Amino acid sequence: MEPSKNFIDPVEDERWMRRALAEAQLAAAEEEVPLGCIIVDGEGRIVGKAHNQTECLHDATAHAEMVALSQAFAAVGNERLVDCTLYVTKEPCPMCAGAIALARLKRVVWGVGDEKRGGESVFGIFRHQGMNHHPETQGGVLAAPSLAILQDFFRRRR
């Protein structure tokens, strides 16, 4: 029996999160806060991938999610990413969570949560009644390596 279209495969989630972690490593190598993001369409193709670029672009909005969203819009040819899943190493901030909801992504998967500024855990953007789209969410996928890369980065900076 084939899995339903709504079947969530944790092995696939980890596979894509490893790709997001590779993007985070690129950010760390560039002295950016090491966050990485991958956007995968319903056919399993990467339509967006990025890491934080706020320092190199001198742009406070150049978070990994925002850059990957722009790539995905161009790749899909639409501002709606309804069959896509976004993988990011740290829970999206409120800005990114708002953009994700507006883009109508199907799912959002993150590694480590953000207990101070998490767009979902603190501000509840993905489930807020004022939003017209509520993506499925899954936190904690490869949380330990997602946290480790952040801790290593900030330890080196101190």
Side-chain angles (χ1 to χ4, degrees):
M1 182 165 119
E2 279 195 40
S4 74
K5 256 190 146 172
N6 293 328
F7 174 75
I8 307 297
D9 184 350
V11 173
E12 281 297 297
D13 281 351
E14 287 188 10
R15 173 182 168 223
W16 295 118
M17 188 60 75
R18 288 187 209 300
R19 298 289 296 269
L21 281 162
E23 285 293 320
Q25 291 287 356
L26 293 173
E30 295 171 6
E31 295 299 317
E32 297 276 357
V33 174
L35 300 179
C37 181
I38 300 289
I39 300 175
V40 180
D41 71 10
E43 302 298 316
R45 295 178 299 233
I46 294 175
V47 294
K49 69 177 184 171
H51 53 276
N52 271 8
Q53 298 177 47
T54 58
E55 297 290 328
C56 72
L57 296 177
H58 306 289
D59 181 349
T61 68
H63 291 194
E65 300 96 310
M66 300 297 282
V67 177
L69 282 168
S70 291
Q71 290 176 3
F73 297 141
V76 171
N78 197 316
E79 74 279 9
R80 305 288 185 241
L81 303 173
V82 295
D83 290 326
C84 295
T85 299
L86 181 144
Y87 294 90
V88 64
T89 54
K90 184 169 159 275
E91 179 182 357
C93 73
M95 172 186 68
C96 294
I100 290 165
L102 291 172
R104 292 183 168 87
L105 279 107
K106 181 178 182 176
R107 292 181 67 224
V108 181
V109 179
W110 62 83
V112 65
D114 185 344
E115 62 188 39
K116 292 182 181 177
R117 291 173 290 279
E120 178 57 16
S121 63
V122 176
F123 296 98
I125 291 170
F126 294 136
R127 65 186 185 292
H128 191 278
Q129 64 184 5
M131 297 303 283
N132 62 357
H133 178 72
H134 307 277
E136 299 169 27
T137 59
Q138 174 68 52
V141 176
L142 296 182
S146 296
L147 178 60
I149 192 171
L150 285 164
Q151 289 175 330
D152 290 347
F153 175 79
F154 287 110
R155 195 174 297 121
R156 283 194 319 269
R157 290 190 69 154
R158 292 185 181 128

